[in-house]
Amino acid sequence: AQSVTQPDARVTVSEGASLQLRCKYSYFGTPYLFWYVQYPRQGLQLLLKYYPGDPVVQGVNGFEAEFSKSNSSFHLRKASVHWSDWAVYFCAENTGYQNFYFGKGTSLTVIP
Amino acid sequence: EAGVTQSPRYAVLQEGQAVSFWCDPISGHDTLYWYQQPRDQGPQLLVYFRDEAVIDNSQLPSDRFSAVRPKGTNSTLKIQSAKQGDTATYLCASSFPGEDTQYFGPGTRLLVL
């Protein structure tokens, strides 16, 4: 069965510091990969998505992610975190049949 | 443009009661998804439609859960005889024809006592 693993349930960073949120996927082929963000009491919003091609994908609000087939990873990065980035982040994979598999999420806390 | 809307936003019921959730997708989106998101978990797909047809309902607990989208627009998810284990947020999402980017509604938070 397909699965997405986000090994860090909670991450705390200082405002202005850099950020990396980790994601590992299980699909043996090359999946389509996504990062979504969920603010309190809101639905998920797409940050960025990866289709086979350039391994580094740019998203909204300064986020980017890098695909690595050798590591089966799709880590999310941001150079300088803002307090408004405080949210839960979900990694997801789509193996081509409209079936999305989401990770359990990483809760990001930003301290001043 | 209006986003995906869901109602109610919250529901509290006793075990054994029935509940229905309603979703209005973004206009023009042909694919509609229902997800269950338990607390501190990621969304888990229950069922999805393309227009009025069910494409995949393999993760829907068929004995108590049902979902319809009769005119290919709005959709209703119903739970008959709810159990405490059904406590979760139920998310609806929709996507444009030929695209896999999903747009999510705010969800319905269900508490079964």
Side-chain angles (χ1 to χ4, degrees):
Chain A
Q2 307 309 317
S3 68
V4 173
T5 302
Q6 294 180 247
D8 305 308
R10 300 184 187 281
V11 170
T12 300
V13 297
S14 298
E15 192 170 16
S18 63
L19 170 71
Q20 176 172 280
L21 302 182
R22 297 185 292 164
C23 173
K24 302 274 282 185
Y25 66 90
S26 67
Y27 185 54
F28 63 87
T30 301
Y32 300 156
L33 297 164
F34 302 78
W35 275 99
Y36 279 86
V37 61
Q38 187 174 34
Y39 299 104
R41 287 174 289 283
Q42 295 187 29
L44 281 71
Q45 300 172 28
L46 181 69
L47 280 178
L48 50 80
K49 58 185 176 183
Y50 168 80
Y51 295 150
D54 190 335
V56 179
V57 181
Q58 303 296 322
V60 299
N61 297 333
F63 285 95
E64 68 174 26
E66 184 168 5
F67 169 76
S68 170
K69 188 169 178 63
S70 60
N71 294 323
S72 298
S73 68
F74 188 56
H75 300 331
L76 182 70
R77 303 189 297 237
K78 187 170 184 178
S80 178
V81 171
H82 188 263
W83 66 266
S84 60
D85 296 324
W86 190 325
V88 182
Y89 292 79
F90 292 95
C91 181
E93 69 173 4
N94 177 358
T95 57
Y97 293 93
Q98 296 287 85
N99 284 343
F100 277 70
Y101 299 91
F102 284 83
K104 292 185 176 182
T106 297
S107 178
L108 174 65
T109 299
V110 181
I111 56 177
Chain B
E1 178 184 280
V4 177
T5 56
Q6 293 185 245
S7 64
R9 293 297 306 274
Y10 304 92
V12 180
L13 53 153
Q14 301 288 334
E15 273 199 322
Q17 290 185 306
V19 64
S20 292
F21 310 132
W22 180 82
C23 173
D24 188 6
I26 294 172
S27 177
H29 284 197
D30 66 342
T31 308
L32 184 147
Y33 309 80
W34 282 104
Y35 288 87
Q36 182 190 61
Q37 185 181 15
R39 185 178 176 83
D40 295 330
Q41 300 277 330
Q44 298 159 15
L45 183 68
L46 292 174
V47 59
Y48 77 95
F49 299 83
R50 185 161 295 119
D51 298 319
E52 66 277 6
V54 174
I55 304 301
D56 185 354
N57 62 358
S58 60
Q59 301 304 310
L60 198 63
S62 58
D63 56 338
R64 295 185 301 108
F65 285 66
S66 62
V68 294
R69 193 185 184 200
K71 296 182 179 179
T73 52
N74 302 334
S75 177
T76 302
L77 176 69
K78 185 173 184 178
I79 306 176
Q80 299 270 21
S81 189
K83 299 182 178 180
Q84 288 185 354
D86 299 331
T87 292
T89 297
Y90 290 83
L91 297 169
C92 178
S94 66
S95 64
F96 197 74
E99 292 190 5
D100 55 16
T101 298
Q102 297 183 29
Y103 297 83
F104 284 80
T108 297
R109 297 178 69 180
L110 173 66
L111 174 62
V112 183
L113 301 173

